[in-house]
Amino acid sequence: MKHLAAYLLLGLGGNTEPSAEDIKGVLESVGIDADEERLEKLIAELKGKDLQELISEGSSKLASVPSGGGGGGGGGASAPAAGGAPGPAAEEEKPAEKEEEKEESDEDMGFGLFD
């Protein structure tokens, strides 16, 4: 993925056919070592192909892939009857708030963009 990202960045910069050395230069500029085998395979597969055409073809293929959304969301908790005590519904909300706080505090997930 990192090799492809570097290839696409070079393409956006105007280099229509980046070489392995060009890609290595981009990766090394951010402290990443290139994998020679994967790099050569990428260059071989993309040689002589137009990036815009590849992106268009890929987008049309992705459009046919199901992207979830099959199930509806669960129903919300019902309101207590008039004059009734809040009951267990109020107790259930407190743990959910603690979980949300934990999720928000996880700023570093342990991986970087190019790992």
Side-chain angles (χ1 to χ4, degrees):
M1 213 50 187
K2 58 189 170 188
H3 300 93
L4 179 59
Y7 188 96
L8 292 172
L9 283 171
L10 288 164
L12 286 172
N15 187 346
T16 57
E17 294 216 17
S19 67
E21 291 303 317
D22 294 334
I23 295 171
K24 285 181 191 176
V26 169
L27 293 175
E28 289 173 358
S29 72
V30 291
I32 297 173
D33 294 325
D35 180 352
E36 291 291 329
E37 184 180 326
R38 289 184 179 180
L39 183 55
E40 292 304 321
K41 183 177 179 182
L42 175 73
I43 296 291
E45 288 184 15
L46 296 178
K47 187 170 186 150
K49 296 183 181 176
D50 181 40
L51 284 178
Q52 294 303 319
E53 284 182 30
L54 291 173
I55 291 171
S56 296
E57 288 174 20
S59 294
S60 65
K61 287 179 182 179
L62 283 175
S64 66
V65 175
S67 59
S78 61
E91 294 174 4
E92 290 177 2
E93 289 179 18
K94 290 180 183 179
E97 290 175 8
K98 289 180 183 177
E99 289 176 7
E100 287 178 21
E101 289 176 13
K102 182 179 177 185
E103 289 176 4
E104 290 175 8
S105 68
D106 289 339
E107 292 178 16
D108 183 16
M109 299 293 288
F111 58 88
L113 179 61
F114 293 105
D115 288 350

